[in-house]
Amino acid sequence: MSVMTVLLGLPLEDHEILKHWTDVWVLPFSHAMTPEQEMYVAKEGIALQQYLLAAMDEKRQNPKEDLLTLLVQSRREDGSELTTHEMLGFAEQAVVGANETTQNGIAMAMQMLIENPGIEERLHDEPAKIRTFVEECLRLQSPTAGMYRTTTCDVEMHAVTIPAESVVHLRFAAGNRDERHFPEPGKLDLDRRNAASHLAFSQAVHHCLGAPLARLELNLSFQILLERRKNFRFAYAEENYDHVPGLALRQLEYLWIKSDPAEAAMDTNAA
Ligand code: HEM
């Protein structure tokens, strides 16, 4: 969240309230809210929108080198401005899309590191494999597990016709386990050659705008964690790491871990 706060050009000290708003923003994805919770989500959502509108006004007055300034200065090909609604939609998407998915991606990759014997040792020995590790975790855990689409025409797939104007739910997570594309799909394979060809960031016009940033954040997180710590393990052996109920996002409720300092880190501390 702090990375995105800085990129948007917002004060770093606001990252905690932004994190709170984005956590609340995704609550409806659980499809299990009481009317009181719906009211709460709506009020917090308006607070986020008012915050972003004020920030965009500020960027119009005092342009800086950041994403929000770029947004308020952007024009369509015919020279017209984006509507407030469009700018707000983009800013909200950037804040929420950047936080939830990346934090869940990092947490679930840590869970995979712990649950798959031998992976941590191999990554310590061959840090270049962290890239494949990250792609395999995105493929197997798919933080955005699915999204809705509306068909604009009749679509035939596998001898089934989906009529135009149908609402369909694309399961990126299911496609990512297609054995015709990924042999032994359930295996976290550090030697998989096509590991990055997954659907975790969707495809074509909907492809995630933040995918390069997300990949960079995940890669750096594990590079630094593995440089500094070792023997990652669950803090409580008996814990069952549940997921937040919901169809679109895949999120752990929590993850408690323990680890020891890596030798190199201990040397640095001693020095
Ligand atoms: C592991 C991390 C991430 C995952 C798994 C992820 C996943 C996705 C997916 C699946 C979509 C397509 C949604 C659809 O099909 O309708 C998407 C769109 C988007 N993502 Fe991400 N995302 C991640 C990180 C980020 C980050 C860091 C940013 C911000 C810089 C971001 C910003 C966006 C935006 C703005 C869109 C909308 C693109 C558009 O419709 O033009 N995402 N993301």
Side-chain angles (χ1 to χ4, degrees):
M1 193 72 251
S2 45
V3 172
M4 203 56 206
T5 305
V6 171
L7 286 179
L8 285 166
L10 299 168
L12 184 56
E13 60 270 22
D14 289 353
H15 82 274
E16 281 184 27
I17 182 71
L18 284 163
K19 167 127 186 57
H20 161 75
W21 280 325
T22 76
D23 286 346
V24 174
W25 205 95
V26 298
L27 286 178
F29 283 58
S30 72
H31 299 287
M33 289 200 308
T34 61
E36 291 74 29
Q37 285 171 320
E38 284 181 9
M39 285 298 291
Y40 174 67
V41 170
K43 281 184 184 154
E44 294 298 301
I46 290 169
L48 170 61
Q49 291 186 339
Q50 285 171 341
Y51 172 93
L52 290 172
L53 283 172
M56 290 190 307
D57 269 348
E58 159 68 19
K59 299 295 174 190
R60 281 193 198 91
Q61 310 297 327
N62 297 304
K64 299 261 164 57
E65 295 238 333
D66 54 46
L67 277 181
L68 273 189
T69 301
L70 209 61
L71 186 63
V72 296
Q73 290 180 344
S74 56
R75 299 284 179 273
R76 290 199 190 74
E77 278 173 10
D78 64 7
S80 61
E81 283 187 31
L82 301 183
T83 64
T84 305
H85 187 79
E86 286 168 331
M87 285 191 264
L88 199 53
F90 179 88
E92 268 187 279
Q93 179 89 4
V95 175
V96 179
N99 174 38
E100 298 299 330
T101 49
T102 317
Q103 86 175 5
N104 295 325
I106 293 172
M108 293 187 296
M110 177 53 76
Q111 187 186 18
M112 295 220 78
L113 184 84
I114 296 174
E115 284 180 343
N116 286 272
I119 296 285
E120 184 189 326
E121 291 70 21
R122 181 129 182 239
L123 294 180
H124 276 301
D125 293 344
E126 287 179 76
K129 286 284 174 193
I130 291 174
R131 284 177 87 107
T132 317
F133 168 72
V134 163
E135 298 301 335
E136 279 288 86
C137 291
L138 287 168
R139 179 179 73 79
L140 287 163
Q141 295 292 347
S142 303
T144 307
M147 271 289 155
Y148 294 98
R149 293 278 190 277
T150 306
T151 51
T152 55
C153 57
D154 289 358
V155 183
E156 192 176 319
M157 290 187 81
H158 304 289
V160 175
T161 303
I162 304 169
E165 300 300 320
S166 303
V167 175
V168 292
H169 187 82
L170 295 183
R171 289 308 284 173
F172 306 131
N176 283 342
R177 287 170 187 263
D178 186 339
E179 68 281 1
R180 291 165 301 180
H181 192 74
F182 298 111
E184 291 192 77
K187 182 178 169 194
L188 195 172
D189 183 355
L190 294 184
D191 298 310
R192 198 181 290 282
R193 300 182 82 88
N194 64 349
S197 65
H198 55 72
L199 299 172
F201 293 116
S202 190
Q203 263 191 336
V205 289
H206 293 282
H207 187 264
C208 173
L209 205 67
L213 177 65
R215 286 184 154 122
L216 183 66
E217 289 184 273
L218 273 145
N219 273 279
L220 282 177
S221 300
F222 280 91
Q223 196 182 307
I224 293 168
L225 276 167
L226 289 161
E227 270 168 23
R228 296 185 186 172
R229 313 290 302 176
K230 65 177 184 184
N231 298 334
F232 289 97
R233 55 199 185 275
F234 295 130
Y236 308 107
E238 74 281 6
E239 288 286 358
N240 175 17
Y241 289 103
D242 289 331
H243 292 86
V244 179
L247 199 58
L249 297 184
R250 185 166 166 80
Q251 314 169 260
L252 283 169
E253 293 269 11
Y254 51 83
L255 180 71
W256 300 112
I257 58 166
K258 282 186 179 169
S259 63
D260 303 319
E263 273 81 31
M266 285 165 93
D267 289 350
T268 316
N269 289 341

